[in-house]
Amino acid sequence: MRGHRTNLGETLMSTGVKYVYTFAEGSRGQSDLLGGKGANLAEMTNLGLPVPPGFTITTEACRSYMREGTEPDELRVQVTMALRHLEDDLGRRLGDRHDPLLVSVRSGAKFSMPGMMETVLNIGLNDASVKGLAEESGDERFAWDSYRRLLQMFGKTVLDIDGHTFEAEIDKAKKAKGVTNDVDLDVDDLKAIVAAYKQIIQSETGAEFPQHPREQLDQAIRAVFNSWNTDRARLYRRRERISNDLGTAVNVCTMVYGNLGATSGTGVAFTRDPATGTPGAYGDYLPNAQGEDVVAGIRNTLSLADLEELDPKSHADLMKVMRRLETHYRDLCDIEFTIERGKLWMLQTRVGKRTSAAAFRIAHQLIDEGLISKDEALMRVRGSDLNQLMFPQFDAKAPRTLVAKGLAASPGAAVGRAVFDSATAVRWADQGEEVILIRRETNPDDLGGMIASQGILTQRGGKTSHAAVVARGMGKTCVAGADALEVDSAKAQARSGDVLIKEGDVISIDGSTGEVFSGRVAVVPSPVATYLERGLEPALAQAGDDEATVALVTAVHELLEHADDSRRMAVRANADIAEDAKRARELGAQGIGLCRTEHMFLGDRRVLIERVVLADSDEEKQAALDALLPLQRQDFIELLETMDGLPVTIRLLDPPLHEFLPDLTKLSVKVAVAESKGGAEPEDLKLLAAVERLHEANPMLGMRGVRLGLHVPGLFALQVRAIAEASAHLIAAGKDPRPEIMVPLVGSVMELHLIKDEALGILAEVEAASGVEIHAPIGTMIELPRAALTAHRIADAAEFFSFGTNDLTQTTWGFSRDDVEGEFFPTYFDKGVLVVSPFETVDADGVGRLVKIAVEEGRATRPGIKLGVCGEHGGDPESIHFFHHAGLDYVSCSPWRVPVARLEAGRAALGAATISGTA
């Protein structure tokens, strides 16, 4: 065999670019070329596991097809050569009328995209070969069942006929016979269905179903290529941040049959429970079925324990294979298998998708079992996993009314209004409604509704159904297989016993128990949130005797501690008041990276700022400043005391001038109305004139930040004095305040010099008056491209840089964030201009380059300069990896994102980073 395979490789290479690899030629390290499925089929083949022979068409062939609009010339020849070698090895011909070789055609991209692309089984069957299959197998029903499956899959996948058209036909046949399951249809029923399916294809396409096996194969290959760019596939990739340029491989695999009677079947298994992380094999099995039946959720499945009773030998063989694969991959493995008359065949394996809870538990288990190191375990959990675990769960003491119970397919507590189709879910969610999508079973076309929903509830399917797998991948709550429900999508309702759930009714679903409740059930903090806020002991007390929760909290604790031990960057929080600072400190923040002082001037204080700006005399302005000083001083005393011993970066006033003034439109209307009634008040006329004089066409690029501080003398001085006096007060009380004064929107080093000189004078005054030494470094935000490009000069005055990536992104791209995200970003995503919003994940190529320039040039001027980021990017997992590699000293984010940032900073230090970019 080895020599034979080498000859095939040489033959394929002789035609030019090699587009086709047999399963024996590849390995799991070639997922870029062979896709995840093809690479893992090759890996299992090389391990000597029972894999049906076949070959993989590479992702490069797909990319060529997408570029040129047609297959590469060499591809047809290479497929022919691979197919002939396969036929020679097996002694059968594709679609032969006596003993036909049949194949499956399945997609397989580099990254798993469950249910997003296409599969066609039983390629090679036609009116003649179905008889040969019946004769060879000795089972006429099996042959005609396989033929109707081909027609249904080919019609839906290749010919783009609505799948419900075929489903309606088979449902009609079952209803006429008085049965509910496909397996209860006999051979005559199936022959009639085949004839009906062929008629559907004829009427829908104007052409007959292709009888030539090679034509079937070629059309199926093209369909898989085309499936890469379906709306649902693009939507999935956008959500998962997968590049649109990768393409998919195509796997052509010899058919093995799970629908050959009671001794055959098909299943999906996991080496550990992907929902909870509980050790032990877990999966679904359907006797007398083909692979798509399990994932589609058409019938409720049996467990692997049931398989052990039905077929002990095949079960034992499966357990051996699963253990070997988990040992080989050193991770949770997701496995698809078929049993054909007592013979086990492996159809796929991959590192399995899992819930957030399972990710932490499994990583922790594998450390204890000696399969992976702590560093490897940390690389296998993500900030998004930790974020998911911080969500609330249902209160066990809250009243509730159980209406149904299904399988706990993806954990979490979800509450929302019932909807029964994907389009309604999207529409209602866009209107601000929280919804639960209820379906008999989901299919890939439901992806939009699944994303829009708080949770998913299905009548049919198991833990490996489409709904369950996709929900787990997205971190959505899911209850599957709630067979007490009778879902009627046409009437937009579901019934469970005497309970009727109509569209718009509020329901609650618990993805951890599989329970479905009518109405709204109260929620409480999760044990993981309790741990992060209050510590390990309170969280374990909350978990009580629940072993799974205890294991989860322990896993989060140990892996987060390891992240803290591993990371180089500090993690600070953005907080403006003492209460937020207290929470940030509890969550592990090592300081405040951004205190927005403008938030301290809301309410009654806004009038005082207005007086400072609009004052007619120095005396009037000073009176307003004097009134503000004690208020600001107390703000800073509370904040610095809460963060005692940790740095607190205080940004001087930054917002545009108009935010401190009356609204021009409202004031104009007020004056106009007053004048129409006999005359406006002189004060209002005076105020309107001042507001009109100060009005700006583009205030975000106008009088704000350092410009406001220079234009309105005394304003920044007030804040610096309040910081200094608050620090002196705390030092005298034996505290350790560590303020850092940050000047916003600097574009020229001269701006910073002017403000810094004034600030140093004020600090010296307060030191002299109080008799204490105040250490308050003065630095700036880098939020303008010019600031980044002149960082070598600005660092001459700045003792620290903090990158304000929100404004730096706006000014680099020329975007107004409030406008573009709802206006044209969706178009940019669809057309591939953007993979992800640059306001969500830092634009590494543009904004990121400015950051790197500023880091390099700032340190060249001032080697010890402290560098951080305080935009919301500081809490984004991908951006944190970028900032680590760019050399920043810390990231700062909202308090609730601090644990996520701690985890990701640890992962970044271990080299787990990849950064998305733009086209």
Side-chain angles (χ1 to χ4, degrees), residues 196 232 281 285 315 448 646 746 748:
R232 66 173 186 256
Y285 178 72
H315 178 269
L646 295 175
V746 165
S748 162

Side-chain angles (χ1 to χ4, degrees), residues 715-735:
L715 195 54
F716 278 10
L718 155 77
Q719 294 192 289
V720 173
R721 185 171 297 278
I723 293 168
E725 291 181 359
S727 299
H729 171 81
L730 291 171
I731 292 169
K735 303 292 185 179

Side-chain angles (χ1 to χ4, degrees), residues 238 241 806 809-810 814-829 834 836-841 872-873:
R238 186 160 69 240
R241 302 187 185 183
N806 297 340
T809 298
Q810 291 196 95
F815 285 157
S816 169
R817 178 175 184 170
D818 293 339
D819 298 322
V820 300
E821 290 192 302
E823 290 294 328
F824 62 80
F825 268 21
T827 302
Y828 271 36
F829 292 140
L834 295 173
V836 64
S837 167
F839 294 108
E840 181 181 342
T841 295
E872 273 306 299
H873 293 104

Side-chain angles (χ1 to χ4, degrees), residues 154-423:
F154 196 92
K156 180 177 184 294
T157 298
V158 180
L159 304 177
D160 202 27
I161 300 171
D162 188 345
H164 292 101
T165 309
F166 297 103
E167 292 167 13
E169 194 64 41
I170 197 169
D171 285 344
K172 185 169 72 173
K174 288 187 286 188
K175 185 175 181 180
K177 196 174 181 67
V179 298
T180 57
N181 288 323
D182 301 354
V183 293
D184 296 321
L185 298 173
D186 62 26
V187 65
D188 290 330
D189 300 322
L190 292 167
K191 286 181 178 180
I193 291 170
V194 165
Y197 281 4
K198 287 163 69 177
Q199 183 56 47
I200 289 170
I201 291 172
Q202 172 74 49
S203 62
E204 292 284 337
T205 67
E208 294 184 352
F209 171 73
Q211 293 291 307
H212 196 290
R214 182 57 191 269
E215 185 180 350
Q216 296 175 15
L217 178 62
D218 290 342
Q219 287 194 42
I221 291 169
R222 281 194 292 273
V224 171
F225 284 161
N226 289 328
S227 71
W228 177 255
N229 277 325
T230 61
D231 290 342
R232 66 173 186 256
R234 294 179 73 89
L235 176 61
Y236 184 90
R237 289 198 296 274
R238 186 160 69 240
R239 179 184 173 84
E240 298 297 317
R241 302 187 185 183
I242 298 171
S243 170
N244 287 323
D245 299 328
L246 297 178
T248 180
V250 183
N251 299 288
V252 179
C253 184
T254 303
M255 281 298 304
V256 290
Y257 308 103
N259 56 334
L260 260 171
T263 60
S264 303
T266 190
V268 176
F270 295 85
T271 54
R272 299 172 195 241
D273 188 336
T276 67
T278 301
Y282 192 92
D284 295 326
Y285 178 72
L286 269 181
N288 198 18
Q290 285 197 326
E292 296 304 300
D293 294 348
V294 176
V295 177
I298 293 170
R299 280 190 275 152
N300 285 347
T301 55
L302 304 179
S303 69
L304 295 186
D306 296 324
L307 172 60
E308 185 175 17
E309 290 187 14
L310 291 172
D311 188 347
K313 181 183 180 302
S314 295
H315 178 269
D317 291 344
L318 178 63
M319 293 301 103
K320 290 176 184 175
V321 168
M322 290 174 70
R323 178 176 172 82
R324 185 171 181 192
L325 286 172
E326 183 174 87
T327 302
H328 184 70
Y329 283 83
R330 298 187 304 127
D331 205 347
L332 163 71
C333 288
D334 172 357
I335 293 160
E336 292 182 23
F337 66 94
T338 283
I339 298 171
E340 180 182 292
R341 289 179 172 168
K343 165 68 175 174
L344 175 69
W345 292 96
M346 305 304 297
L347 304 183
Q348 179 178 342
T349 192
R350 60 190 171 198
V351 171
K353 288 187 177 293
R354 65 208 74 185
T355 64
S356 300
F360 274 90
R361 285 194 64 192
I362 291 169
H364 191 247
Q365 290 161 12
L366 295 176
I367 296 172
D368 290 344
E369 293 170 22
L371 281 175
I372 62 175
S373 67
K374 276 191 174 184
D375 285 355
E376 289 173 298
L378 186 56
M379 301 276 270
R380 294 187 184 182
V381 294
R382 301 169 300 170
S384 57
D385 293 323
L386 183 57
N387 185 61
Q388 187 74 25
L389 295 175
M390 295 161 71
F391 293 158
Q393 61 187 31
F394 288 135
D395 183 353
K397 299 176 183 177
R400 65 196 68 196
T401 302
L402 183 70
V403 296
K405 184 163 184 178
L407 298 171
S410 185
V415 181
R417 297 189 179 278
V419 294
F420 293 86
D421 65 88
S422 183

Side-chain angles (χ1 to χ4, degrees), residues 799-863:
E799 295 171 78
F800 65 86
F801 288 167
S802 181
F803 291 93
T805 51
N806 297 340
D807 274 354
L808 187 57
T809 298
Q810 291 196 95
T811 53
T812 300
W813 278 91
F815 285 157
S816 169
R817 178 175 184 170
D818 293 339
D819 298 322
V820 300
E821 290 192 302
E823 290 294 328
F824 62 80
F825 268 21
T827 302
Y828 271 36
F829 292 140
D830 289 339
K831 295 184 179 299
V833 178
L834 295 173
V835 177
V836 64
S837 167
F839 294 108
E840 181 181 342
T841 295
V842 69
D843 160 31
D845 296 331
V847 175
R849 188 175 180 199
L850 290 173
V851 170
K852 288 180 177 178
I853 290 170
V855 168
E856 181 180 345
E857 296 191 359
R859 284 208 170 114
T861 298
R862 187 185 291 264

